[in-house]
Amino acid sequence: MEQAAISVAGLSKRFGSVIALDRVDFEVRPGAVFGLLGPNGAGKSTAIRILTTILRPSAGHAEVLGRDVVREAAAVRRLIGLAGQYAAVDPNLTGRENLRLIGRLTQLPHARIRPRATALLDRFDLTAAGDRPVRTYSGGMRRRLDVAAALVPEPPVLFLDEPTTGLDPQSRNALWELIRELVDDGTTVLLTTQYLEEADRLAERVVVVDKGRVIVDDTPAALKARLGNTVIELGMGDQERAARALSVIGGRISPAPESEGARLTLASRDGSGMLLEVLHLLDTNALAPRSVAVRESSLDDVFLALTGHRAETGRASDSPTEGDSP
């Protein structure tokens, strides 16, 4: 049997009375993108910090390429790259100088440092800006340089903690393409994100976490199939009309519609049939919707159905695990 690139079993972490991770289990196969999804405060960054040896778990076990993250922490650090939520590059150095510095810090052979920095600047489309101070870079350029820095020692396993947060759509798409190229070259990527579209586009498999617990572990396609292939969104105009519409169709449609403000969301494997039935019911009760939208189901729909809230909107952090170290 092929050894897992990352293996996590019963992983738990407490900060005083706060449970940041609660018996988390998952495995990541080599050469794949694995998505760890959840809103702020779900425990994603805590998991990353444990897997990259920054934090010690309170209980459970985790390995990277067969190396225990606690007992063999030094060996694990030689196998991984990490790009955290915030750029770790020095804004007063040039892009090239940053990469060369990382090469020295990671004890890359001296003869390889300059060629490696040049190759990464080229791969991440930063050659033209390579000799400019990083403080002059755009947000997307800084993020690409940060990922490039994590790749200086050519790690077989790369951890990306919310790598596209704050990036514009063009920069996000560019970074997605770079991640695909890395995986094509054999790198294993564990990606944490609040963006459901990101996991849907990149990940072979996803784990959804909420309040420190795994609530589902499956492929993006399988998760979306749980809801049905079609999502119907009905804009009712106001919450009172939405509540009345829900009472009319709630007992007639399975699964029951999700209500959020003035909008009702229905999932179906027979989109056209359900839509006709729902519109007939609402019209009969003088509740014709103000707007109707039909689209393919997304992982955000899955998260809403599983947790009762959307992942992308997030919520205030309920633990010291996301953003600031305890």
Side-chain angles (χ1 to χ4, degrees):
M1 181 181 294
E2 184 180 39
Q3 182 188 56
I6 301 169
S7 179
V8 173
L11 200 63
S12 298
K13 180 64 179 178
R14 286 178 172 269
F15 297 99
S17 62
V18 175
I19 301 174
L21 291 177
D22 189 5
R23 294 165 292 179
V24 168
D25 301 287
F26 62 82
E27 286 194 348
V28 182
R29 78 169 186 85
V33 179
F34 184 89
L36 191 59
L37 278 70
N40 288 335
K44 305 184 304 297
S45 291
T46 297
I48 288 282
R49 289 171 184 160
I50 291 173
L51 290 170
T52 56
T53 76
I54 296 170
L55 288 177
R56 294 173 65 95
S58 301
H61 180 76
E63 293 182 352
V64 175
L65 293 176
R67 303 285 189 171
D68 186 279
V69 299
V70 175
R71 291 185 291 102
E72 301 172 279
V76 169
R77 287 193 285 271
R78 289 192 291 269
L79 296 170
I80 64 173
L82 168 64
Q85 292 184 24
Y86 307 102
V89 292
D90 188 329
N92 295 313
L93 298 179
T94 68
R96 194 180 307 276
E97 288 169 341
N98 267 285
L99 297 183
R100 289 176 181 175
L101 176 61
I102 296 297
R104 292 194 293 272
L105 292 174
T106 57
Q107 300 181 336
L108 202 66
H110 184 74
R112 290 180 56 200
I113 291 176
R114 287 175 178 268
R116 183 65 177 155
T118 298
L120 286 169
L121 289 172
D122 181 62
R123 181 168 196 175
F124 284 77
D125 195 24
L126 291 169
T127 299
D131 295 311
R132 282 169 35 199
V134 171
R135 64 175 178 271
T136 68
Y137 286 17
S138 68
M141 293 168 67
R142 287 194 185 206
R143 207 66 184 106
R144 295 203 306 276
L145 182 65
D146 201 40
V147 176
L151 292 170
V152 167
E154 301 182 81
V157 178
L158 178 64
F159 293 91
L160 299 177
D161 194 5
E162 301 197 14
T164 62
T165 297
L167 296 187
D168 60 77
Q170 183 177 354
S171 297
R172 185 180 299 174
N173 285 329
L175 190 52
W176 287 353
E177 187 57 37
L178 287 168
I179 292 170
R180 293 188 187 99
E181 291 176 7
L182 291 171
V183 173
D184 288 342
D185 289 343
T187 305
T188 300
V189 177
L190 191 153
L191 170 81
T192 76
T193 182
Q194 294 183 60
Y195 301 122
L196 281 298
E197 180 189 8
E198 190 158 77
D200 201 6
R201 292 278 191 94
L202 295 173
E204 174 186 89
R205 194 170 188 89
V206 297
V207 157
V208 181
V209 293
D210 193 39
K211 299 179 182 178
R213 293 186 176 183
V214 172
I215 56 176
V216 69
D217 179 350
D218 216 327
T219 66
L223 289 177
K224 292 191 293 183
R226 292 187 182 194
L227 286 182
N229 298 322
T230 303
V231 172
I232 301 166
E233 293 183 343
L234 305 175
M236 301 306 300
D238 58 56
Q239 286 186 283
E240 189 272 333
R241 293 185 82 251
R244 288 168 55 203
L246 183 61
S247 68
V248 168
I249 63 177
R252 303 286 294 273
I253 301 298
S254 180
E258 297 284 346
S259 176
E260 186 176 21
R263 180 176 62 184
L264 299 182
T265 302
L266 306 89
S268 171
R269 290 179 174 81
D270 177 23
S272 59
M274 173 182 281
L275 179 59
L276 291 172
E277 181 182 358
V278 167
L279 291 178
H280 176 71
L281 285 169
L282 293 177
D283 186 60
T284 301
N285 288 270
L287 286 169
R290 303 287 170 81
S291 65
V292 178
V294 180
R295 59 174 173 78
E296 182 184 357
S297 60
S298 71
L299 286 177
D300 202 24
D301 300 312
V302 175
F303 199 94
L304 177 61
L306 290 169
T307 68
H309 57 84
R310 295 186 179 275
E312 288 186 12
T313 56
R315 53 189 165 80
S317 176
D318 54 16
S319 76
T321 66
E322 305 285 328
D324 296 324
S325 298

